[in-house]
Amino acid sequence: MIAHAPQTQFAVAGDMLQLGGLPLVRLAQRVGRTPFYAYERQHIARRVAGLRAALPAGVHLHYAMKANPMPAVVQYLAGLVDGIDVASGGELAIALDTVMPAQRISFAGPGKGDGELSCAVAAGVLINVESLVQLERVALASERLGVAGKVAVRVNPDFSLRRAGMRMGGGAQPFGLDAEQVPALLARLRQMALEFHGLHIYTGSQNLCATALAEAQGQSVELALRLADHAPGPLRVLNIGGGFGVPYFPGDQALDLAPLADGLQRQLDRLQAVSPGTRLNLELGRYLVAESGIYVCKVIERKLSHGQVFLVTDGGLHHHLAASGNFGQLIRKNYPVAIGNRLHGGERELASVVGPLCTPLDLLADQMEMARADTGDLVVVFQSGAYGLTASPTAFLSHPLPAEVLV
Ligand SMILES: *Cc1c(COP(=O)(O)O)cnc(C)c1O
């Protein structure tokens, strides 16, 4: 049987998971109710430190906060990374409340509204423009406000990221401008009273193949240098996206950073030779936070049907769509799930973990091996620090929202 990568990121004492130094049962008491999401500071800090140690010093790390926009998490990460990438006016407001200076915040998204653009110009954040129409809107907002907007151009590259869980570049895309449309946009930009800062190329998400990522990074730098010839000024920043994946499913293996580090050093050298002032940014969401978080729900009832065990819990897909297999997965696979207050347990069994919703989609674990559990036990879904709560249909069936804590 193909197994999940072992979940070793948290301490374990007396067969019970611990987060932030608290045994899970105590943490549940502290939160005061289930279900809840918990994210561990220590793990986030270790993750950032690990990346910094592995990657060349010239690479700047940005946090793409749509992965986990909890204000306390964003604030904590703001003190650890070099910038924050936002994808809406709401995220922008959260990012601006942190210690991150506005000039280190960038704003991407194919459908930015005039109100959002106006706030972004006024705030002085970098706007990654994704079309000629969007550029004209930024120019109008700038004129209205009497503030020169800062812009970078998001390019839909003429190549795509191999082996990505989700592709966001190459071929027809709503994101950015096709590479061949970029010179015309840069020519228009030259006539505007806007500050040109650079280029943004994002190729895709959830990739566990270092060589595919390194290849895309090389192609991104090459494309950027080609387009830079048409730019109205020097490239101050080049954001080459991220896409670093984490192991979710049986057979997945953690990303190997070593080949990425070698590749990035080559890209830095190449940039240095042609465009020495350019700051190279990586924007990572999932990789920074996914493994730091768990989703915890309580077993309400244990029942049997045709010989199979079902653990009915107070949590489910309305809080954690991704773990139910309905957030972008083609074939449903189990996230790593365990009984958090008895990880190994005395007796083990195959069980399915379901939620309270009246739909067969509300499945957090399908026939997984775990410790034998009963009413009151705490089910833990690992790898839940990214695309959890805010990527879930919380209003579906009108259950209360889960709590969220940073410990
Ligand atoms: C979503 C997104 C990210 C973050 O992707 P992860 O897979 O979470 O690292 C980065 N950049 C852009 C432009 C995005 O839309």
Side-chain angles (χ1 to χ4, degrees):
M1 203 174 79
I2 309 167
H4 283 98
Q7 297 294 314
T8 54
Q9 65 269 55
F10 304 116
V12 174
D15 207 24
M16 188 180 298
L17 197 65
Q18 298 203 347
L19 259 82
L22 285 179
L24 187 66
V25 166
R26 175 85 180 276
L27 176 59
Q29 289 164 344
R30 197 204 96 169
V31 175
R33 62 194 164 97
T34 56
F36 63 90
Y37 277 91
Y39 317 112
E40 193 186 57
R41 281 190 186 83
Q42 223 180 67
H43 186 271
I44 295 173
R46 250 191 289 137
R47 193 70 164 184
V48 174
L51 264 177
R52 291 212 190 270
L55 301 184
V59 172
H60 294 88
L61 296 179
H62 282 220
Y63 176 47
M65 65 171 279
K66 80 170 185 287
N68 188 330
M70 184 197 186
V73 168
V74 181
Q75 174 73 12
Y76 185 64
L77 268 161
L80 300 174
V81 296
D82 308 311
I84 298 178
D85 293 315
V86 306
S88 73
E91 288 189 358
L92 176 59
I94 294 172
L96 288 169
D97 280 342
T98 69
V99 295
M100 186 60 71
Q103 66 265 29
R104 294 281 175 247
I105 297 174
S106 58
F107 181 16
K112 303 177 188 80
D114 286 327
E116 292 174 300
L117 289 173
S118 182
C119 292
V121 171
V125 305
L126 180 62
I127 301 170
N128 294 325
V129 297
E130 312 219 1
S131 69
L132 188 56
V133 172
Q134 208 175 78
L135 179 71
E136 301 286 353
R137 286 187 166 147
V138 175
L140 278 177
S142 292
E143 226 177 276
R144 222 169 31 237
L145 299 168
V147 180
K150 297 176 183 165
V151 296
V153 178
R154 179 165 179 185
V155 184
N156 171 27
D158 40 17
F159 58 88
S160 68
L161 177 60
R162 288 187 301 117
R163 302 180 64 174
M166 209 182 273
R167 270 191 209 165
M168 291 174 73
Q173 292 285 349
F175 312 109
L177 278 97
D178 294 350
E180 56 274 20
Q181 298 172 348
V182 172
L185 178 125
L186 290 171
R188 175 77 186 104
L189 179 51
R190 202 181 281 275
Q191 307 162 335
M192 294 171 156
L194 297 175
E195 273 182 33
F196 171 75
H197 279 246
L199 298 170
H200 174 210
I201 303 173
Y202 181 73
T203 51
S205 184
Q206 179 50 20
N207 200 306
L208 290 170
C209 176
T211 52
L213 280 167
E215 190 183 299
Q217 287 166 351
Q219 289 173 298
S220 296
V221 170
E222 204 173 292
L223 175 59
L225 291 177
R226 213 163 66 223
L227 293 172
D229 293 341
H230 303 270
L235 287 190
R236 293 186 235 186
V237 295
L238 171 57
N239 176 345
I240 55 168
F244 293 21
V246 301
Y248 287 108
F249 306 119
D252 284 355
Q253 280 185 353
L255 183 63
D256 181 6
L257 293 177
L260 283 170
D262 292 345
L264 283 167
Q265 188 58 59
R266 277 197 301 279
Q267 303 319 326
L268 281 168
D269 293 345
R270 211 158 141 208
L271 265 182
Q272 179 67 28
V274 198
S275 179
T278 306
R279 183 184 152 100
L280 186 68
N281 292 344
L282 282 182
E283 52 179 5
L284 303 174
R286 183 192 314 274
Y287 191 82
L288 297 183
V289 289
E291 301 199 351
S292 74
I294 58 172
Y295 174 64
V296 183
C297 53
K298 193 161 67 191
V299 178
I300 296 174
E301 196 181 318
R302 173 192 168 83
K303 68 198 277 188
L304 289 173
S305 171
H306 290 270
Q308 289 187 19
V309 179
F310 288 87
L311 301 172
V312 186
T313 68
D314 58 2
L317 84 72
H318 53 313
H319 297 162
H320 202 332
L321 187 67
S324 77
N326 295 292
F327 188 63
Q329 292 102 301
L330 295 179
I331 302 165
R332 192 194 177 287
K333 294 181 199 155
N334 287 325
Y335 263 49
V337 172
I339 307 302
N341 57 309
R342 66 178 91 233
L343 287 169
H344 198 76
E347 200 184 317
R348 296 185 71 79
E349 66 181 8
L350 280 186
S352 294
V353 177
V354 302
L357 308 190
C358 280
T359 159
L361 299 178
D362 193 8
L363 184 61
L364 293 178
D366 184 19
Q367 296 268 324
M368 275 183 86
E369 195 209 294
M370 58 187 79
R372 185 195 149 96
D374 219 322
T375 309
D377 281 327
L378 297 173
V379 171
V380 165
V381 182
F382 291 99
Q383 309 296 72
S384 298
Y387 305 107
L389 179 57
T390 59
S392 301
T394 51
F396 191 38
L397 272 94
S398 305
H399 286 284
L401 286 172
E404 248 186 327
V405 292
L406 176 66
V407 291

